Amino acid sequence: MAESSTLAQTIREIVQRHGGMSTRLLQILREVQDHFTWLPPETLDQVAEALGVSPDKVRNVAEFYSFLYTEPRGFYDILFSDNITDRMLGSRELLHYLCERLDMEINTTRADGLVSVGTTSCTGMCDQGPAALVNGYALTRLDKPRLDRIVDLVNSRTPLTEWPREFFEVTSNIRRADILLGRHFADGAALRAVLKRGPEAILEEMVKSGLRGQGGAGFKSAAKWISCRGAPGDVKYVVCNADEGEPGTFKDRVLMQDFADLVFEGMTLCGRVIGARQGFVYLRGEYRYLLEALKATLLRRREVGLLGEAILGDPGFQFDIDIHMGAGAYVCGEESALIESLEGKHGVPRIRPPFPTTHGYLNKPTVVNNVETFAAAAKIAVEGGAWFASRGTAESKGTKLLSLSGDCERPGIYEYPFGVTVRRVLEDCGARDAQGIQMAGPAGHMISARQFDRRICFEDLATGGSFMVFDQSRDILDGIRNFTHFFVHESCGFCTPCRVGTSLMRDLVTKVHTGHGTRADLEEMRKLGRIMQVACHCGLGQTAPNPVLDSLDQFPESWERRLRSTAYEPAFDLNAALEEARRLTGRDDPGAYLSGQDLLIGAMP
Amino acid sequence: MSEQPSFTLDGRRIPFRDGQTVMAAALAAGVYIPHLCFNPEFAPHGSCRVCLVKVNGRVQAACTTPAAAGQLVQSEIEELREIRRGILQMLFVEGNHVCPACEKSGACQLQAVAYYVGMLAPHYTHFYPRRSVDASHPEAVIDFNRCILCELCVRASREVDGKNIFAVRGRGINARLVVNTPSGKLGATDFSVGDKAAQVCPTGAILLKHHGYEIPIGQRLYDRKPINVVGDVAQLSESRGGRRHD
């Protein structure tokens, strides 16, 4: 009895700290879980009661996000980043090693309840992997000696705060700087510019700059701002999309770590231009380690008059920024799903139109821009649109931050004017033996050496920044198969072709990759991919088949050398079907398995 | 007086009122576009993707696309029929749909739409998920094997019945229909056969007890005429072989 009233008290306090607002539901659940290591059913009911919402709404959210657990979880929760770049650095071997040392199976919680080990989608540490998360905090540069020490720390129940700091060190690895990263920016300069010249003049500079959405979609940023500014209503919002979930990209992490002031300044500028008083940063859960520093930066900006009431002493200039944490859902990078998540719901993309610029957060006009876009906007306000537009190509002005990882000597962040060739990037990062590049992440495109003279810009190869290099020693299909698993895990499940199609695609790719496929399966993949590209509700499902379709065109030999010579091979696996019989009879001798030859003989009349 | 605005659907002129979707206008004009999660009594959902049409060359869901004057809409073309067949096949392999053993066979919207789009076999590999049957309620059974996640019962219970009995939980391929009680059992709810939620299921996932095979096989709703002629089972009264209470 006493225990349950303490539980209720704890939860009431957490809910109160969030102002009892149901829009904070995801944030509240994160904190409740920090307290209890998972979300026992009674905590969900208590949260619902304290917020005055239905328990079913709370459960919907709790069951949607990967980092929220409705089953018991270890006191230490270790999740290995499972991007192909982590695997290329040996993460699978390390994962098995750790589980062996901890005497447990992968994807389980140890019997004593002390530790859980599993995998998670790319944590954005591709230039310093293999990476993992422990209780949500990023671990980098894992190797066996480091894992040995982690085993000791876990078994001795050492609090995370006492773990060696270097385990959590995240470096920025900026290898090439241009106008965004290279030039000094005086805090407040963009805000002084908008106060001096007025929002219209700043919008004119934005139009002149040609700035396009740096998340990868490439919508003209000025058009978004103008549409939102003109939308009816007094209450408007600015949202910064820092849900950098595309595997292989980590440039927003570096901006939030080293250039947070510039990003916050861009958001505040946007607030002034569109007439918003509130902004949100939607920070992906994997970047939890940045939260305290970002809050400190916001506090400092309030203290020096760059945020909050009467910015720069102008009583008419009010704007503040709140940080919302994600909880492991790639789909929330889609702007309408992100808004749903900001509202405290599960992140299912909305039906569009209407678009966020007229019906966004709480159905109010909202600008959603990528981290890099806000940083660029702040610079444009100070230096002018023409200055920005002097770089880049006709349709892609300015520069682009690329996140380089995979088989290269110098992984990290490279800033280039738009229009740079793939070949130039490969030379600069020390990728001597590249076989192919996964451009813009699994949702982007796979290109082969024949295409290395293509240019990175919206006219040719559009990208949000992910650039993963595969050298000649790699099997391209390892990457493709990894990506299909990623999309199965990240599909929100709302629409049929994505929910079911991602699983079908994974199974087809696995069938061929393990040597059981035929030419008919390749054709089947193409057909399924074409359906998904046009039929899915949002960009996630529409782009999910891209790696498969591209590799079928660019690396046909990688697929063909694994095919069986027969015209058709059933998906039904007789050996797998006999597994239960083998277990029941306790047999594991060679005679309990069927070889391909047996099957052929068995099929004869 | 100006003429009512219209768009073209497979060469036919379809008038529409401001705010209508392509689907709503087509339906009002008596032109069938196959669909499953759409029900004219509810706000469009856009999740099943069966009603995909080409609007000025772009594939979009008819149920969520606002009608606009002069639009060129294509529906009955082989390219779309192939996509729709693929989507129906996905729904069939995702769950466990055994038509010959289902009480709703012949009066099932899923089955009727599958026939309409020319689906003859599931084609893809069956997932054979392990799902349960809930017979805890005295008057109704839920067979989760047959749920296609259209959320019509969820919406009907919440918006019309005011009971909020159903929900879809989980993510991706693990998304599933649940009953909103701690036990997850329908028997623990105030669900009643008179509820709107009992009348909207396009498959045999929600069935009424004590009413099995009242209409013999061969004389059922879609046994003699296809769904584009007969209409949706949820829109037809029980006396006509549908699900709707009179």
Side-chain angles (χ1 to χ4, degrees), chain A residues 44-114:
Chain A
L44 299 180
D45 293 336
Q46 291 286 352
V47 168
E49 200 186 307
L51 276 178
V53 301
S54 77
D56 121 78
K57 182 183 158 124
V58 178
R59 286 210 156 70
N60 276 351
V61 172
E63 291 199 21
F64 186 81
Y65 295 92
S66 292
F67 295 160
L68 297 181
Y69 303 125
T70 52
E71 302 283 333
R73 200 77 185 173
F75 180 76
Y76 297 100
D77 177 36
I78 301 174
L79 296 171
F80 274 66
S81 176
D82 199 23
N83 188 26
I84 188 64
T85 53
D86 293 283
R87 288 186 172 222
M88 285 154 76
L89 293 165
S91 66
R92 293 303 293 185
E93 194 198 339
L94 293 177
L95 172 61
H96 287 282
Y97 179 76
L98 178 68
C99 286
E100 208 173 285
R101 289 279 340 260
L102 286 168
D103 193 19
M104 62 187 293
E105 299 287 317
I106 298 172
N107 294 324
T108 63
T109 298
R110 203 165 73 177
D112 62 0
L114 186 62

Side-chain angles (χ1 to χ4, degrees), chain A residues 57-270:
Chain A
K57 182 183 158 124
V58 178
R59 286 210 156 70
N60 276 351
V61 172
E63 291 199 21
F64 186 81
Y65 295 92
S66 292
F67 295 160
L68 297 181
Y69 303 125
T70 52
E71 302 283 333
R73 200 77 185 173
F75 180 76
Y76 297 100
D77 177 36
I78 301 174
L79 296 171
F80 274 66
S81 176
D82 199 23
N83 188 26
I84 188 64
T85 53
D86 293 283
R87 288 186 172 222
M88 285 154 76
L89 293 165
S91 66
R92 293 303 293 185
E93 194 198 339
L94 293 177
L95 172 61
H96 287 282
Y97 179 76
L98 178 68
C99 286
E100 208 173 285
R101 289 279 340 260
L102 286 168
D103 193 19
M104 62 187 293
E105 299 287 317
I106 298 172
N107 294 324
T108 63
T109 298
R110 203 165 73 177
D112 62 0
L114 186 62
V115 53
S116 305
V117 178
T119 57
T120 187
S121 298
C122 181
T123 61
M125 300 290 163
C126 321
D127 57 339
Q128 45 206 300
L133 299 171
V134 55
N135 295 357
Y137 288 87
L139 291 166
T140 55
R141 300 178 191 82
L142 294 175
D143 55 18
K144 284 186 181 174
R146 205 164 262 203
L147 291 180
D148 287 337
R149 292 177 68 190
I150 288 176
V151 169
D152 294 339
L153 292 165
V154 166
N155 286 332
S156 61
R157 298 172 187 253
T158 306
L160 225 52
T161 48
E162 293 170 27
W163 287 28
R165 288 295 86 195
E166 68 265 26
F167 287 15
F168 301 96
E169 194 196 357
V170 178
T171 51
S172 293
N173 299 338
I174 297 171
R175 312 280 185 180
R176 189 182 196 282
D178 204 292
I179 55 177
L180 194 64
L181 302 181
R183 215 169 152 112
H184 175 73
F185 183 84
D187 288 344
L191 306 184
R192 273 185 276 277
V194 68
L195 282 183
K196 187 173 157 209
R197 303 182 55 199
E200 287 86 0
I202 297 298
L203 276 176
E204 249 174 63
E205 298 295 344
M206 288 279 288
V207 171
K208 254 190 249 169
S209 75
L211 176 66
R212 296 171 69 164
Q214 299 279 42
F219 194 79
K220 295 258 184 189
S221 308
K224 250 188 198 179
W225 290 26
I226 289 166
S227 164
C228 193
R229 177 177 158 87
D234 294 333
V235 180
K236 294 176 185 178
Y237 296 98
V238 175
V239 175
C240 174
N241 185 346
D243 193 48
E244 188 177 39
E246 193 65 47
T249 178
F250 45 88
K251 48 106 186 164
D252 292 340
R253 184 245 296 159
V254 172
L255 286 172
M256 295 311 282
Q257 184 164 314
D258 291 355
F259 297 84
D261 268 301
L262 185 62
V263 178
F264 292 148
E265 182 122 352
M267 292 177 67
T268 312
L269 170 77
C270 178

Side-chain angles (χ1 to χ4, degrees), chain A residues 311-332:
Chain A
I311 292 171
L312 292 173
D314 184 329
F317 192 176
Q318 283 176 40
F319 188 78
D320 214 325
I321 295 173
D322 236 349
I323 300 172
H324 271 240
M325 296 295 302
Y330 167 73
V331 70
C332 289

Side-chain angles (χ1 to χ4, degrees), chain A residues 56 59-60 63-64 66 328-329 351 489-497 499 504 524 527-528 534-536 571, chain B residues 45-49 52 64 82-83 90-91 94 123-125 127 149 164 167-173 176 180:
Chain A
D56 121 78
R59 286 210 156 70
N60 276 351
E63 291 199 21
F64 186 81
S66 292
I351 293 168
H489 181 68
E490 297 298 347
S491 167
C492 82
F494 174 75
C495 78
T496 313
R499 184 180 68 241
L504 291 172
E524 197 57 51
K527 214 174 121 191
L528 176 63
V534 296
C536 288
Chain B
H45 200 238
S47 66
C48 78
R49 314 304 286 171
L52 292 176
T64 59
E82 190 183 332
I83 293 171
M90 289 183 201
L91 288 172
E94 180 190 24
H123 182 75
Y124 297 120
T125 310
F127 290 4
L149 298 171
N164 197 22
V168 168
R169 293 264 168 76
R171 191 166 97 185
I173 197 64
R176 70 208 183 280
N180 252 333

Side-chain angles (χ1 to χ4, degrees), chain A residues 20 33 37 112 150 155 174 215 234 288-289 412 454 469 481 495 596:
Chain A
Q33 180 166 289
T37 74
D112 62 0
I150 288 176
N155 286 332
I174 297 171
D234 294 333
R288 169 69 183 81
Y289 80 97
R454 290 182 68 180
V469 184
R481 192 171 163 189
C495 78

Side-chain angles (χ1 to χ4, degrees), chain A residues 352-353 534, chain B residues 6-11 14 16 20-26 33 49 51-77 79-80 83-84:
Chain A
R352 304 188 309 169
V534 296
Chain B
S6 66
F7 62 89
T8 310
L9 172 57
D10 289 336
I14 309 285
F16 68 92
Q20 264 185 327
T21 60
V22 168
M23 174 70 87
I33 298 173
R49 314 304 286 171
C51 73
L52 292 176
V53 291
K54 263 188 152 176
V55 181
N56 297 333
R58 221 186 127 184
V59 178
Q60 287 173 279
C63 72
T64 59
T65 303
Q71 270 168 338
L72 269 178
V73 183
Q74 294 164 288
S75 176
E76 294 299 332
I77 54 175
E79 180 191 347
L80 288 172
I83 293 171
R84 289 171 183 160

